[in-house]
Amino acid sequence: MYVIVNQDTCIACGNCGANAPKLFGYNEEGLSFVKIDGNTGTKKVKRRLRNDLLYAYEACPSMSIHISKKPFQTDK
Ligand code: F3S
């Protein structure tokens, strides 16, 4: 499973890092990013972190966390 945060819609509520501190960090504006791959959605989430990821996903009020079975395509 892969994950990426849409920082255009993140409202810096902090739920994701509270649920999955190993996966989500915050930039200087308080916007979330995925720590394991620099928010590129290209590194597989370890199996033991998947429950945390799903809790974070469900707890995000702006639905800014996107998960996929395949790596995300980024133009970075
Ligand atoms: Fe942003 Fe959602 Fe996390 S609003 S801070 S991505 S829970």
Side-chain angles (χ1 to χ4, degrees):
M1 199 176 279
Y2 298 83
V3 59
I4 196 167
V5 172
N6 182 351
Q7 293 188 328
D8 292 335
T9 58
C10 172
I11 56 170
C13 81
N15 277 349
C16 50
N19 281 291
K22 291 193 170 135
L23 285 176
F24 298 98
Y26 304 102
N27 69 14
E28 62 282 351
E29 295 168 38
L31 300 175
S32 171
F33 65 91
V34 177
K35 286 161 119 176
I36 59 172
D37 58 12
N39 204 45
T40 55
T42 54
K43 188 167 179 193
K44 205 170 198 175
V45 175
K46 290 198 166 97
R47 185 172 290 274
R48 65 186 153 81
L49 294 177
R50 284 192 192 167
N51 278 346
D52 288 357
L53 171 58
L54 292 176
Y55 287 132
Y57 172 79
E58 288 175 7
C60 177
S62 62
M63 295 190 289
S64 299
I65 299 171
H66 300 281
I67 55 181
S68 171
K69 289 182 180 167
K70 293 183 183 171
F72 287 86
Q73 304 286 328
T74 57
D75 48 11
K76 285 177 192 170

